[in-house]
Amino acid sequence: AQSVTQLDSHVSVSEGTPVLLRCNYSSSYSPSLFWYVQHPNKGLQLLLKYTSAATLVKGINGFEAEFKKSETSFHLTKPSAHMSDAAEYFCVVSGWGAQKLVFGQGTRLTINP
Amino acid sequence: SQTIHQWPATLVQPVGSPLSLECTVEGTSNPNLYWYRQAAGRGLQLLFYSVGIGQISSEVPQNLSASRPQDRQFILSSKKLLLSDSGFYLCAWSPGLAGVNEQFFGPGTRLTVL
């Protein structure tokens, strides 16, 4: 079975500073891992995905995440926050090729001017 | 390219009334289809998923039901709405191909039950 824990329910950073959203996962076999973003009253948009290729995954809008098997982590980072990054972020795990995804509870990112 | 549509975008319904939310996908064939509910300030709860026409798997017992009358159409229904059915309903699709399991989400329907 898979599970995912997002370690912070809310993160607040200043515009232009780095962003770090933390995610730990649990999986009994090689997982697929994803980060999704949701702006208010919108659907979810896929930011990036890891599927056992390169451990450093680059996504859209300057985000990237690093898969660390020894730490069972998949943290999301961005070097410089922009006001438009304010949103809810979900870390998601799935078994390889599985039909269902397991979502974390989400981290709300606030950007201060 | 593929697109996913949901309607209506918002809906206000009285308790005890019926419900029908529709989701359609364009630009792909034989997708897996999913219905999720997102309560205020909470994560996503998978309600139903479907791997083909007429094939529906239910994840949580409740007064909702789902149907897939066509390959790219997925409908969420209720005969009598409860206050607890309020929330943001999201439809999603995935390619249904071996090893490809990312899901792509529609814009959502905001349901308020009064």
Side-chain angles (χ1 to χ4, degrees):
Chain A
Q2 295 85 38
S3 67
V4 62
T5 302
Q6 293 186 242
L7 300 174
D8 306 290
S9 60
H10 184 207
V11 170
S12 180
V13 303
S14 298
E15 188 175 21
T17 64
V19 174
L20 170 63
L21 305 183
R22 300 182 296 164
C23 172
N24 287 349
Y25 71 91
S26 174
S27 178
S28 53
Y29 41 87
S30 297
S32 296
L33 291 158
F34 311 86
W35 276 98
Y36 283 83
V37 60
Q38 184 182 31
H39 288 91
N41 295 309
K42 302 291 185 184
L44 278 71
Q45 181 184 20
L46 180 63
L47 273 180
L48 50 81
K49 64 177 180 178
Y50 165 79
T51 54
S52 75
T55 56
L56 183 63
V57 182
K58 294 188 182 298
I60 61 173
N61 300 335
F63 284 94
E64 62 182 34
E66 185 172 8
F67 173 72
K68 292 187 176 180
K69 185 175 181 179
S70 61
E71 299 177 10
T72 61
S73 68
F74 191 57
H75 301 334
L76 181 71
T77 60
K78 183 174 180 178
S80 177
H82 191 272
M83 294 300 292
S84 61
D85 295 328
E88 189 90 13
Y89 291 79
F90 293 95
C91 182
V92 181
V93 66
S94 176
W96 185 89
Q99 295 168 343
K100 294 188 286 185
L101 303 180
V102 177
F103 286 78
Q105 286 300 302
T107 297
R108 182 161 58 94
L109 176 63
T110 301
I111 312 296
N112 303 309
Chain B
S1 64
Q2 301 85 13
T3 56
I4 179 169
H5 304 278
Q6 287 186 245
W7 63 88
T10 60
L11 190 60
V12 180
Q13 293 284 94
V15 169
S17 63
L19 173 73
S20 181
L21 303 181
E22 188 165 344
C23 171
T24 59
V25 182
E26 296 177 355
T28 188
S29 297
N30 304 314
N32 292 341
L33 296 172
Y34 305 83
W35 278 113
Y36 291 88
R37 177 170 58 205
Q38 187 175 31
R42 303 187 65 179
L44 275 74
Q45 179 187 36
L46 179 62
L47 301 175
F48 302 94
Y49 72 96
S50 171
V51 300
I53 296 174
Q55 301 179 61
I56 308 295
S57 296
S58 174
E59 291 294 299
V60 220
Q62 57 205 317
N63 70 322
L64 299 172
S65 62
S67 62
R68 184 171 178 174
Q70 301 180 43
D71 181 46
R72 289 168 290 177
Q73 184 185 31
F74 205 24
I75 297 172
L76 183 68
S77 303
S78 174
K79 293 182 179 178
K80 290 185 177 182
L81 283 168
L82 306 173
L83 286 174
S84 57
D85 291 324
S86 293
F88 193 49
Y89 288 82
L90 290 159
C91 182
W93 72 275
S94 70
L97 302 173
V100 181
N101 57 353
E102 60 261 41
Q103 295 179 15
F104 302 95
F105 286 79
T109 294
R110 174 73 60 189
L111 172 66
T112 303
V113 182
L114 301 175

